[in-house]
Amino acid sequence: MTAAASRFQRYLLPGLAFKSAVIGGGYATGRELAEFFLPSGPWGGLAAMVLSMLIWSVICILTFLLARAIRANDYRTFFRHLLGRGWWTFEVAYLALIVVVLAVFGAAAGELAATMFGWPRIVGTLLLVAIITGVVQAGTNAVERMFKLMSAFMYLVYAIAACLILYRFGGGAMAQLSNTHELGKDWVLNGVTYAGYNMFAAVSILLVVRHLLCRRDAVIAGALAGPLAILPAIVFYVCMIAFLPDIADAPLPSDLMLGQLGLPWFQWLFRLMIMVALVETGVTLMASVDGRISVNWTERTGAAPKRGIRVAIIVAILLMAVFMADGIGLVALIAKGYRLLAYAILATYVVPLLAYSAWQIWSRRGQAFEVIATQPPQAKTRN
């Protein structure tokens, strides 16, 4: 923990970091929202989003409490305590999810580079790889500054977009809401599924847990994480329902909406914001992998890994992931890959965390989630 941590670092930074991991290519473009929420209808989609928000806040609170108690700033340490010898099961699911998510980013970055600048798609993909690698290697402080500055930019652009779209097409959105008086099918399942596969974000940002000074900080930061992450999505979703049914199958729903505004300059600005979102989430994911590599390398060799080795591993993972997009495509990746991985994350992370937390609360009562050991007994086994 950092004794001089500010209120921003203790209360808001974890939520902004969580949002950075969640927003990514699908959320920022609107594709995830179309896939998971539009099928449940206007009100059903909103209900599913609120459910996702509540799940995020609960899991973030429990994750931050446990991470602070065991002083875990990387996901490997966290899961060696939570799952014991079975910690590797989460890592398999997590790394698979990272590959799929980054593949989505590669597809989106390539598409945006071609649309914005007329560049070959491969140029946008490689540029994304270079920026993510550069920020991660700049260090933890650079990553935290990125969360702060890029989040301010993204919230501003989302607010402007919502005002412009609702001013022009708000009547259509209100008509859709007025003409629907029931929750659509599967809204609970969609809300749980969307929350489930995005829960990886809570353990990908453990580097900011060091700022939490007490259990109260962990509870406040976790409670705020859900609203901070879902607010732009709710605003964007309300805008999207004005364009039903055409928007449901659009690869980039944001482009469909903004194209109707007739404001090329703002469409370009929004695409830039999407690129920022891709960088934010990519940095968050790869920073967690970089931290895991550093801890394991130090345990094995007694020294921190050299910069060149860390860069090579990060670039290799990024390249492997983003080139998957060429063969699979953005819509298929989100529709099929995300749902399958959601169940894996729920099984290896969410369910064990809930069970562990219930045991902590029942057996330790007032002492639950107090600072305990930094490593579980199994930590002596090297992996």
Side-chain angles (χ1 to χ4, degrees):
M1 65 183 66
T2 52
S6 65
R7 289 186 178 180
F8 172 82
Q9 290 174 312
R10 290 155 51 205
Y11 301 152
L12 295 179
L13 181 61
L16 294 178
F18 181 78
K19 179 270 305 171
S20 297
V22 167
I23 195 166
Y27 174 163
T29 63
R31 186 58 242 166
E32 283 182 5
L33 307 184
E35 179 65 35
F36 287 93
F37 301 122
L38 285 180
S40 298
W43 288 110
L46 287 172
M49 296 174 88
V50 172
L51 177 60
S52 294
M53 179 193 73
L54 295 175
I55 294 172
W56 285 346
S57 288
V58 170
I59 298 301
C60 282
I61 289 172
L62 298 178
T63 298
F64 296 165
L65 283 169
L66 178 57
R68 177 188 167 274
I70 63 175
R71 299 188 178 97
N73 292 326
D74 67 279
Y75 71 83
R76 179 170 172 265
T77 302
F78 183 90
F79 281 97
R80 288 177 75 174
H81 187 94
L82 180 63
L83 301 179
R85 294 184 183 277
W87 70 269
W88 59 270
T89 57
F90 171 81
E91 182 160 63
V92 171
Y94 184 57
L95 293 179
L97 186 140
I98 286 178
V99 169
V100 172
V101 169
L102 292 175
V104 171
F105 294 177
E111 193 67 37
L112 287 168
T115 302
M116 294 172 68
F117 307 109
W119 295 346
R121 287 177 173 79
I122 187 62
V123 175
T125 298
L126 294 178
L127 182 61
L128 179 68
V129 169
I131 294 174
I132 291 173
T133 303
V135 175
V136 171
Q137 290 304 304
T140 301
N141 290 335
V143 172
E144 291 186 359
R145 284 196 298 271
M146 180 207 69
F147 290 152
K148 182 177 181 178
L149 297 176
M150 290 188 174
S151 294
F153 172 67
M154 292 169 63
Y155 281 127
L156 177 62
V157 173
Y158 264 113
I160 296 173
C163 290
L164 291 173
I165 294 171
L166 293 177
Y167 177 76
R168 289 279 302 276
F169 305 104
M174 293 304 103
Q176 290 281 358
L177 291 169
S178 299
N179 294 333
T180 306
H181 303 289
E182 57 191 28
L183 302 181
K185 64 176 183 178
D186 297 331
W187 70 270
V188 173
L189 177 62
N190 288 336
V192 172
T193 303
Y194 184 71
Y197 88 79
N198 275 301
M199 280 320 313
F200 73 89
V203 290
S204 69
I205 61 165
L206 292 181
L207 76 164
V208 302
V209 172
R210 70 188 194 283
H211 296 305
L212 304 180
L213 302 180
C214 59
R215 288 184 295 178
R216 178 174 176 272
D217 288 355
V219 172
I220 294 175
L224 290 175
L228 285 171
I230 204 67
L231 180 60
I234 291 177
V235 172
F236 210 49
Y237 180 78
V238 172
C239 295
M240 288 173 64
I241 62 177
F243 298 87
L244 285 171
D246 295 341
I247 202 168
D249 297 319
L252 293 176
S254 58
D255 259 14
L256 186 151
M257 291 190 296
L258 297 174
Q260 299 295 317
L261 288 176
L263 298 173
W265 66 270
F266 186 73
Q267 192 167 12
W268 193 94
L269 181 65
F270 196 90
R271 289 169 179 163
L272 178 62
M273 186 276 293
I274 294 175
M275 290 294 290
V276 168
L278 298 178
V279 170
E280 263 201 314
T281 307
V283 166
T284 304
L285 293 175
M286 296 315 299
S288 71
V289 173
D290 186 54
R292 185 261 191 264
I293 292 170
S294 297
V295 170
N296 186 244
W297 191 283
T298 302
E299 284 184 4
R300 288 178 176 273
T301 67
K306 294 181 179 179
R307 182 184 182 90
I309 294 174
R310 294 165 62 194
V311 170
I313 294 174
I314 290 173
V315 170
I317 294 174
L318 286 168
L319 290 177
M320 177 181 68
V322 297
F323 284 117
M324 280 181 58
D326 289 337
I328 301 176
L330 180 62
V331 176
L333 280 169
I334 292 177
K336 298 179 182 179
Y338 279 16
R339 288 184 183 275
L340 179 62
L341 289 168
Y343 302 132
I345 297 296
L346 285 169
T348 60
Y349 169 33
V350 176
V351 173
L353 179 64
L354 290 174
Y356 180 89
S357 301
W359 172 78
Q360 277 274 307
I361 293 171
W362 174 257
S363 64
R364 297 169 67 93
R365 307 293 168 80
Q367 301 302 313
F369 293 107
E370 285 290 351
V371 175
I372 43 180
T374 58
Q375 294 282 358
Q378 295 88 342
K380 296 179 181 178
T381 301
R382 292 181 177 178
N383 291 286

